[in-house]
Each structure stands twice: as structure tokens, then as C-alpha cells.
Amino acid sequence: MVAITVPENYGEDKHMLTFLSSFANTRLAVAVALGAIPVLSFIHGTVTGSFRKKANVPYPHCYATVEQCKSNPKAEQFNCAQRAHANFLENAPQTMLSILVAGLKYPNSAAILGGAWTLLRMAYLYGYVYSGKPQGQGRYAGSFFWLCQGALWALTVFGFAPDLINI
């Protein structure tokens, strides 16, 4: 049986935005950042479902055809909403896991990056679906979520993994 010992100062985050380190309970901030992600997933599903009806795309079809998009602008908007939702679902699980793991050692950073990731994903959805730019180019407004996601990966791999190797 393997025992993992957690040092007393494990979880102290001294490197990022020290003015936010006065959180009374940094674990709560991590939980809020994590809890916002499923809420955003619900919003994605609701937006996509509403455009499916307007675009007249029946189940089980995932996307409107090119012909439908040419005849109905809502079909193109549905495709953008569907793609934004699919991209969200592709990235949400790994981001949630990264927030959880990074939050063990760096709770403030994980909460800030998780919150920023969620806000940028909201901008991604809005830009993709509602900007009116051709071919969903409005999504670029929120594409900086990749920076938050990369930082969470880095905190997870380089911040937590070395401790596992030294066991």
C-alpha cells in the first residue's frame, strides 16, 4: 500500500495575483470555478437546441446541410452553435480535471484560470453564434481560452507531477 503525505504548506500559491490570495477559503473558489463549467454546458445545449428548431434540422442529424444553410440563415447559425458546443465538450473534461489537480497545490491560480477559461468560453460561444461574422469567425474573440487551458496543463504537469515522481 502506498501512502501519500501532503506537506503543511501544500496549496500555498505565492506566484499569481497576490491581491486575490486573501480568499477566506481558496478551495471554495476552485469549487465555484468548477461548478460554472457544467452551467455553461447547459447554456451551450440550450442555445444549440433553440437554433435546431429555428433551422428545421431534425434529429439525428448533427448539422444542417449546405443547401439548408443557403436557404435559411438560422441553419448556418445552428451549425455554428453546434460546433461551439462540440468544441466545448471536447475541452471541458480535461479542463475540469486540470482545475482539480492544479487546485491541490495552486488553488488560487487554478480558480482564477478556471474562471477566466469559463468567461472566455462564453465569449467563444457568443462570438461564434451571435457575431454575424461569416464562417463563425467571431469565435476568435474567445479563443484565448487556450492560454488559460495551457496554463492549467502546465500547473498540473510541472507543478504536481514532480511531487508524484519523488514518492
Side-chain angles (χ1 to χ4, degrees):
M1 181 171 198
V2 176
I4 298 175
T5 312
V6 179
E8 282 185 36
N9 65 347
Y10 203 76
E12 290 183 12
D13 184 0
K14 299 175 184 174
H15 301 294
M16 186 176 210
L17 300 178
T18 56
F19 68 92
L20 289 175
S21 65
S22 62
F23 277 135
N25 187 346
T26 55
R27 303 289 187 243
L28 178 62
V30 171
V32 169
L34 276 171
I37 294 173
V39 172
L40 183 55
S41 180
F42 178 78
I43 292 168
H44 269 270
T46 302
V47 168
T48 303
S50 71
F51 280 110
R52 177 181 289 278
K53 290 177 186 172
K54 294 173 187 173
N56 295 323
V57 177
Y59 285 106
H61 301 289
C62 291
Y63 294 96
T65 64
V66 174
E67 293 79 26
Q68 287 173 308
C69 290
K70 287 179 181 176
S71 65
N72 182 358
K74 294 294 181 185
E76 177 75 20
Q77 212 168 9
F78 165 71
N79 282 356
C80 290
Q82 183 77 321
R83 186 62 207 128
H85 185 50
N87 185 273
F88 175 83
L89 293 175
E90 292 162 2
N91 288 282
Q94 61 188 321
T95 301
M96 291 177 76
L97 182 61
S98 294
I99 292 170
L100 278 172
V101 174
L104 292 172
K105 189 170 183 180
Y106 307 106
N108 286 344
S109 298
I112 291 165
L113 290 167
W117 184 89
T118 303
L119 291 174
L120 288 167
R121 289 307 309 214
M122 288 169 49
Y124 186 89
L125 171 66
Y126 182 82
Y128 214 151
V129 178
Y130 297 104
S131 72
K133 294 185 178 179
Q135 300 171 339
Q137 291 177 354
R139 70 186 183 276
Y140 297 129
S143 63
F144 292 105
F145 77 88
W146 285 111
L147 298 175
C148 296
Q149 195 163 325
L152 284 165
W153 291 339
L155 286 178
T156 300
V157 173
F158 299 114
F160 192 73
D163 295 333
L164 294 175
I165 293 170
N166 292 329
I167 293 179

